[in-house]
Each structure stands twice: as structure tokens, then as C-alpha cells.
Amino acid sequence: MNFEFSEEQLMIQQAARDYAQRELIKDVIQRDTTATFPTHHIKALAELGFMGMMVNPAWDGGGLDTVSYVLAMEELSKVDASVSVVVSVNNSLVCYGLDKYASASQKEKYLKPLASGKKIGAFLLSEPEAGSDATSQRTTAEDKGDYYLVNGTKNWITNASSASTYILIAQTDPSKKHKGITAFIVDKDSPGISLGPHEDKMGMRSSDTHSVMFNDVKVPKENRIGEEGFGFTFAMKVLEGGRIGIASQALGLASGALERATAYAKERKAFGTVIANHQAIAFKLADMAVKVENARNLCLKAAWLKDQGKPYGIASAMAKQYAADIAMEVTTEAVQIHGGYGYVREYHVERMMREAKLTQIYEGTSEVQKIIISRDLVK
């Protein structure tokens, strides 16, 4: 396997690193404290081409590979995972699903502005009683001839208030259970849509999370993605790619925390020398580095498989589960290495630890990833 990146991939990585280290760092603590959506950063990242990286250029996308996406996601997440999750949802869950499965007319109307970053999208799957069990959809879309009438509630929706376009998963035939689930494109400003309060989250506080309620919302027939009953398959295929995005986010949190912990350990002195010279700290850093490298390799393997057109679902589940779990471990150790300073906002690692926790939960918990992996082993 060739472990060298192409010149284009390195340019994408450097561009993401430069923006994160130069611009995101300026107000990341303030936005986390005030739970302020990073509107100007998303606009700037759109201008840099980061909102539709893997979309075909025919639909105003960047036409880049998934490896480039992993490299960019890691660099953004080293500084601000709240920004990177907006990028991830738009790329992996919204643009990818439309690019692969939408009709030409749907792509012209909806994908182009999303891929160019002129608009932002959201993916509406989770419900109050349908999180890990995505088959238990309660939101219904009733066929009324030339439109569907949608009723129900979606929970934990990233980009809910900032998005213009929703990708909605709803039940069109409850008697068929998961085979009766269908996918739709919904305009956020459609009559009958309302939002719950902004969620006051432990981490990723600068991202935009709400419940979304549908009360007799009319969705035109031409906004259905594929045939009726295709929705569950659509959602699972989209989430396979989404796991690569969140795995890369977790990787970025871990690698960013390792960089900060290493720099601090080389400056902080105790017992007459910098703490990096104490074996207790040096061995922590070594263990953290091995875990980060393993996570990076899993992310890149999943991305490479996807780019080669090979099955990548299990690889993405492994990457997501491992990277999320070590993100929690590595950020926790980074706080420990910083001591008391790690417990205050100024040194960033306490925020990174809070953000790492969510990577074990959303887009499939670590436990769900283990179910996917283990079922593949014994099937």
C-alpha cells in the first residue's frame, strides 16, 4: 500500500490546517462559551471549497477523493470540532446522498447550492424513540396524490436552524416496517415546520442542534429520493460514509490534544526539569501517539476503500468506533498532563474532552459500531 499523499491531497490538508490555525483558533473559546453558530467561518470554508469536497464538479462540487476529506476533517477538528461537524454533515450525509442517489433535476435544484456552500443541509433521521434503532421511525409521510403529508418529530438535528435543505427519513408504509421507510428532500421554510429550543449541549456547543417538528407539511412528489421503501437503505448507505467523517473528526480531536499535551509537557517544569522528561508523562505521550496513529490508519483505510469503489462499511465502522473511543482516552490524558491548567478553558483541552464524548454517541454509538462489526464476523 502506498502511504504517500499526492500533491493535491497535501495542498488540501495544508489549506485546512492554515485556516484552522489562523482563523478558527481566534474565537473558538468564545463561540463555545456563548454557543454561537460559526456563520462567517462556514462561509469562508465554502469559498475555499470545503462544503462539497467529494461532489462531482458537474454539480458545483470539488471532485476530490475521500482521503482528501479525511485530511481536511482532521485539521479542522484539531482546532474546532463544532465547525468540522457542520462540514461533515453537509459533505457526508447531505451532499453524498444527493450526489449518489438523487435525480438530475433534484441535483440541479438542491445539490448545486449545497455543494458550493451557498446553502447548508441537515440530515433528519433520529427521533425521540428512534436513535440507535433507526427502523422504529414514527414520523409519517402519507401519500396524497401529487404530494406527501408529513407529521412527526426529529431529534438532535445538526444544522437544524441554519440549514435551508433537509434530507428527511420518514415512514410511508408502517405495515412494511423498515421496508416502508422513504427518503425526501424538504425545504426548511415549508409551512408546518417548527423548531424546538437550541439544545444546551456539553460539547460541540458552537454547532446548531434542535428538534424539528412537522405538522401537516406538504412535500412534493418530485422531492422523493428514489422509490418508496428505499429510505432505510438510503440512510444506511449514507451513514457508512458519514462514519468516515465523524471518525476523522474524532481523530482530529485526539491528534490535536496530543499536540497540545506534547507542547505543554516540553515547557512545564516540575522537580527540576520539564515534565516530558518524567517517565510517567513520557509514557502517556507514547501511548497517546500510538492510538492516534492507529486511528489515522483506520480512517485512511476506510477512505481509500471508498475511493477504490470497494466495500467500506465495516472499515468505516471500525474507524468510527476506534477513533471515537481513543479520542475520549487521549483528550482525557491531555487534561491530566496539563494538570490544573487542563481544567480551564484557556488551554483548550477541557473543551476537546467534552467534544470527544459526542463522537462516541452520534452517527451510530460505539456500541452500534461493535454490533455492525461483530455481525459481519459471524454472518
Side-chain angles (χ1 to χ4, degrees):
M1 182 180 290
N2 184 359
F3 286 91
E4 293 185 1
F5 298 124
S6 69
E7 183 176 344
E8 182 180 56
Q9 289 166 341
L10 291 173
M11 287 175 61
I12 296 298
Q13 181 186 49
Q14 189 63 51
R17 180 183 296 146
D18 287 347
Y19 188 83
Q21 300 291 338
R22 185 182 67 249
E23 301 297 335
L24 291 183
I25 194 67
K26 291 179 181 178
D27 60 349
V28 60
I29 293 175
Q30 179 186 3
R31 283 185 290 102
D32 173 72
T33 304
T34 59
T36 302
F37 188 77
T39 303
H40 65 290
H41 290 304
I42 298 305
K43 181 179 179 180
L45 288 168
E47 292 172 354
L48 290 170
F50 285 110
M51 298 305 288
M53 295 179 67
M54 297 168 287
V55 174
N56 191 311
W59 308 112
D60 291 351
L64 298 170
D65 61 5
T66 317
V67 170
S68 297
Y69 173 56
V70 168
L71 296 176
M73 279 294 296
E74 179 182 358
E75 294 301 329
L76 295 175
S77 303
K78 284 181 180 180
V79 176
D80 191 348
S82 287
V83 166
S84 72
V85 73
V86 179
V87 174
S88 178
V89 167
N90 204 70
N91 274 281
S92 295
L93 300 186
V94 179
C95 286
Y96 172 74
L98 293 177
D99 194 24
K100 190 167 180 64
Y101 297 107
S103 67
S105 60
Q106 289 171 341
K107 291 177 183 180
E108 182 68 32
K109 182 176 181 180
Y110 293 103
L111 180 56
K112 277 190 171 183
L114 289 165
S116 64
K118 294 176 182 176
K119 293 184 177 180
I120 299 174
F123 188 75
L124 282 63
L125 175 63
S126 293
E127 298 185 358
E129 297 182 35
S132 294
D133 181 9
T135 63
S136 299
Q137 297 290 303
R138 299 284 183 90
T139 298
T140 59
E142 186 179 356
D143 191 340
K144 293 293 187 179
D146 59 348
Y147 67 90
Y148 288 89
L149 197 64
V150 178
N151 285 280
T153 299
K154 294 293 181 177
N155 261 20
W156 314 118
I157 305 305
T158 301
N159 300 345
S161 69
S162 55
S164 300
T165 304
Y166 290 160
I167 304 300
L168 171 70
I169 309 300
Q171 184 67 258
T172 48
D173 189 347
S175 67
K176 294 182 179 179
K177 298 183 179 179
H178 74 280
K179 293 183 179 179
I181 294 172
T182 303
F184 301 92
I185 305 168
V186 182
D187 291 302
K188 180 211 168 185
D189 59 1
S190 300
I193 293 179
S194 59
L195 302 184
H198 183 277
E199 299 290 355
D200 190 9
K201 307 187 298 291
M202 179 172 77
M204 311 282 185
R205 291 178 49 78
S206 184
S207 71
D208 163 22
T209 309
H210 297 257
S211 294
V212 182
M213 284 75 76
F214 294 83
N215 182 22
D216 287 343
V217 177
K218 291 182 178 180
V219 178
K221 242 351 175 353
E222 61 263 27
N223 281 28
R224 187 184 67 207
I225 302 173
E227 298 301 316
E228 280 196 9
F230 177 62
F232 184 74
T233 298
F234 170 84
M236 295 303 102
K237 290 295 184 184
V238 167
L239 285 171
E240 283 185 350
R243 291 185 195 113
I244 296 176
I246 300 305
S248 305
Q249 180 187 60
L251 166 63
L253 283 163
S255 61
L258 173 60
E259 289 179 3
R260 290 188 176 279
T262 302
Y264 181 82
K266 290 164 66 177
E267 296 175 357
R268 172 70 171 175
K269 289 185 177 181
F271 305 104
T273 186
V274 294
I275 62 174
N277 289 334
H278 297 301
Q279 192 177 82
I281 301 300
F283 279 15
K284 280 185 186 294
L285 294 173
D287 287 341
M288 292 158 71
V290 171
K291 290 172 182 176
V292 168
E293 190 64 16
N294 283 339
R296 182 176 290 115
N297 288 336
L298 284 169
C299 289
L300 290 172
K301 179 182 179 181
W304 180 84
L305 288 170
K306 183 172 181 286
D307 289 337
Q308 298 302 310
K310 299 177 183 292
Y312 65 93
I314 301 303
S316 69
M318 288 181 173
K320 204 274 187 185
Q321 181 259 308
Y322 183 79
D325 287 350
I326 69 99
M328 197 67 235
E329 294 175 19
V330 171
T331 55
T332 301
E333 288 286 49
V335 171
Q336 189 70 19
I337 290 170
H338 279 74
Y341 292 104
Y343 209 64
V344 297
R345 292 181 184 272
E346 179 184 355
Y347 285 77
H348 296 281
V349 288
E350 62 84 27
R351 171 177 49 81
M352 300 173 87
M353 184 176 73
R354 288 187 282 109
E355 291 176 336
K357 187 61 200 173
L358 189 54
T359 67
Q360 294 180 304
I361 297 171
Y362 64 0
E363 292 193 33
T365 64
S366 291
E367 291 77 14
V368 165
Q369 306 312 317
K370 290 178 182 179
I371 290 172
I372 294 168
I373 296 163
S374 61
R375 284 179 178 172
D376 183 72
L377 289 171
V378 301
K379 71 180 180 181

